[in-house]
Amino acid sequence: MTILVKNSDARRIFLAKQGLCAAPGRMLGKPGLLQLIHDIGFVQVDSIATVERAHHQILFSRNQTYRREHLADLLEKDGELFENWTHDASIIPSAFYPYWKHKFRRENDAILNRWRRWQGEGFDASFEETYRHIAERGAVLSRELKAAEHESGGWWNWHPSKTALEYLWRTGKVAIARRENFQKVYDLAERVLPQHHHEHEVDHEAFVDWACRSALTRLGFATHGEIAAFWDLVTPDEAKAWVGAHADELRPILVEPVDGGKPRPSHAFADFAGLLETAPEPPGRLRVLSPFDPLIRDRNRTERLFAFVYRIEVFVPEPKRQYGYYVFPLLEGDRLIGRIDMKADRKAGELTVRKLWLEPGVRASAGRLERLEAELARLARFTGVEEVRYLDGWR
């Protein structure tokens, strides 16, 4: 029997699956941090630090006891996390590394063909030499291999060793051992990943089953296209075939969109009714999300569930921006209620708030503004600045 799922229930289940229903002040610790990342699947990495780097803010928005040094330990000392690609550069539990081996093999030919079109023949001339250099001499920064005659620029102007490093990383031959001032330090994958993660193999059938099953677990409900897109490990056709082959474990559901329009057919596990009963209500606290938060990565899903249209305008010319360079979504309870433009000025010791936009029908009530100011104060402390400064006309 098909279940019709109310929009409010769908939001609650998805928020719970993405770690946003647990109490944000509970003590996390390093084991709890590893479990959190395992449960949500991955944490996207991005270099922009307008307020805080994406991976730190994603984790902080879920738990305010999060400590950066715990993440560093898990990545650089314990080997329980690794960096590679989902749909973008991400931090991933090392327990998932055997499944990424299939992605590495798939990526190999695709990257070579794509980069050959962009960079021309001969772009791969230094691949073997770069790998041998790391094998013989140990971990290396890209700048240490940079050929003196090449100038830095966009990625298409990468010097040969930089191109080699990215290829070797994207195909699993090397891994990121650590970062220095956010610059990647590369080493052989077998010297970075613990042996039990690096050497373990899974066959193709197990790989596809895990990729689809684990994606649906973390989404709560999904179309086969959403299942495929979650990790970006399998194709939509593979996800569709998996759904068909596991029909006895799944049940069809209809998810009501936020605007009350036509419900969207989706798939869920057979115990979905239990999720409806047990998924907790999210905290009423107002929270600032990273633009790269996994809750909003799938923009179409975000619009259907939350009626929230969000685009990153970093690469939009300033006169054409609707909001701002790097604007942060605001989550209150189970609703995305607006966005805020702000920047951490660490020299001045300030978190500068430039502008607030609330969604239609969301009032700037005294209680809501108090919750926002409390959250901004918490975020300021996390980023290491002393106060929040509100510019004239910010709301």
Side-chain angles (χ1 to χ4, degrees):
M1 186 179 76
T2 301
I3 297 178
L4 178 62
V5 183
K6 293 192 300 183
N7 177 262
S8 58
D9 288 335
R11 291 200 310 269
R12 180 167 51 91
I13 288 171
F14 188 36
L15 285 162
K17 291 291 187 179
Q18 283 298 299
L20 286 160
C21 282
R26 73 194 186 283
M27 184 54 64
L28 191 64
K30 192 164 70 170
L33 174 60
L34 179 59
Q35 187 64 51
L36 173 61
I37 297 173
H38 179 281
D39 291 347
I40 64 177
F42 60 87
V43 178
Q44 188 168 333
V45 178
D46 191 77
S47 61
I48 298 174
T50 301
V51 170
E52 184 54 86
R53 296 200 192 279
H55 47 294
H56 294 313
Q57 188 169 356
I58 290 168
L59 295 167
F60 178 76
S61 66
R62 284 155 175 78
N63 189 288
Q64 269 92 62
T65 74
Y66 161 68
R67 296 291 179 265
R68 297 174 184 82
E69 58 268 26
H70 290 162
L71 184 67
D73 283 352
L74 290 166
L75 277 164
E76 300 174 7
K77 295 179 181 178
D78 305 336
E80 291 302 322
L81 298 171
F82 75 104
E83 284 191 50
N84 210 271
W85 279 67
T86 52
H87 41 77
D88 217 316
S90 299
I91 294 168
I92 308 159
S94 297
F96 302 165
Y97 190 82
Y99 305 103
W100 255 255
K101 290 183 179 181
H102 290 262
K103 183 179 180 69
F104 298 151
R105 288 191 281 270
R106 291 182 175 200
E107 288 276 86
N108 188 74
D109 290 342
I111 287 176
L112 289 177
N113 291 333
R114 188 166 67 247
W115 289 10
R116 185 174 289 111
R117 290 196 300 269
W118 287 342
Q119 294 205 20
E121 294 294 335
F123 77 95
D124 55 351
S126 67
F127 283 13
E128 285 190 25
E129 179 185 355
T130 301
Y131 181 85
R132 192 167 57 250
H133 179 101
I134 297 171
E136 295 173 356
R137 303 186 187 184
V140 67
L141 283 155
S142 173
R143 67 170 180 263
E144 294 171 343
L145 295 179
K146 182 180 178 183
E149 67 271 23
H150 289 268
E151 296 181 358
S152 297
W155 85 262
W156 51 89
N157 288 325
W158 284 352
H159 56 82
S161 295
K162 172 65 173 175
T163 303
L165 287 169
E166 287 295 310
Y167 165 77
L168 294 170
W169 175 53
R170 292 284 297 274
T171 57
K173 297 172 181 66
V174 303
I176 298 173
R178 63 185 185 278
R179 285 180 180 263
E180 294 181 4
N181 296 322
F182 207 66
Q183 299 298 305
K184 301 185 190 101
V185 179
Y186 301 87
D187 202 350
L188 299 187
E190 59 266 34
R191 295 201 292 235
V192 175
L193 275 292
Q195 184 177 6
H196 59 285
H197 292 316
H198 182 264
E199 293 188 352
H200 186 59
E201 300 283 346
V202 295
D203 63 26
H204 183 265
E205 184 178 354
F207 157 68
V208 173
D209 182 67
W210 179 86
C212 296
R213 189 178 300 276
S214 61
L216 184 54
T217 296
R218 287 162 178 80
L219 289 166
F221 54 88
T223 65
H224 71 266
E226 291 170 338
I227 290 171
F230 182 82
W231 299 113
D232 194 26
L233 290 175
V234 298
T235 67
D237 284 344
E238 286 174 316
K240 186 175 183 179
W242 179 84
V243 168
H246 293 82
D248 59 333
E249 297 181 57
L250 307 175
R251 69 181 309 160
I253 64 171
L254 291 171
V255 181
E256 183 183 64
V258 71
D259 61 4
K262 184 178 180 180
R264 183 179 180 84
S266 292
H267 309 286
F269 286 115
D271 63 354
F272 185 79
L275 282 182
L276 287 171
E277 295 175 1
T278 60
E281 293 291 337
R285 173 186 285 190
L286 197 152
R287 285 179 277 183
V288 180
L289 301 183
S290 163
F292 296 101
D293 196 286
L295 183 77
I296 62 170
R297 185 202 65 78
D298 185 334
R299 303 295 196 238
N300 291 331
R301 185 177 172 103
T302 302
E303 290 176 25
R304 288 196 307 274
L305 291 179
F306 298 95
F308 189 73
V309 179
Y310 182 78
R311 300 291 183 270
I312 295 175
E313 298 182 291
V314 168
F315 300 110
V316 177
E318 187 171 0
K320 296 184 178 181
R321 290 176 188 152
Q322 182 179 3
Y323 297 106
Y325 171 79
Y326 198 75
V327 173
F328 300 84
L330 299 176
L331 175 69
E332 184 183 49
D334 68 350
R335 294 197 300 161
L336 289 164
I337 64 161
R339 62 206 82 203
I340 191 166
D341 184 6
M342 56 187 178
K343 181 177 182 179
D345 185 340
R346 290 173 176 81
K347 288 185 178 179
E350 297 176 341
L351 179 64
T352 305
V353 178
R354 297 164 172 160
K355 189 69 178 176
L356 169 69
W357 298 268
L358 294 176
E359 291 291 279
V362 177
R363 293 193 310 112
S365 64
R368 179 165 285 127
L369 292 177
E370 286 178 7
R371 289 191 292 275
L372 174 60
E373 290 170 5
E375 179 67 3
L376 294 180
R378 286 188 287 266
L379 185 58
R381 289 193 295 272
F382 179 68
T383 59
V385 299
E386 297 173 359
E387 63 178 325
V388 181
R389 182 167 70 96
Y390 299 87
L391 299 185
D392 290 344
W394 73 279
R395 64 177 177 87

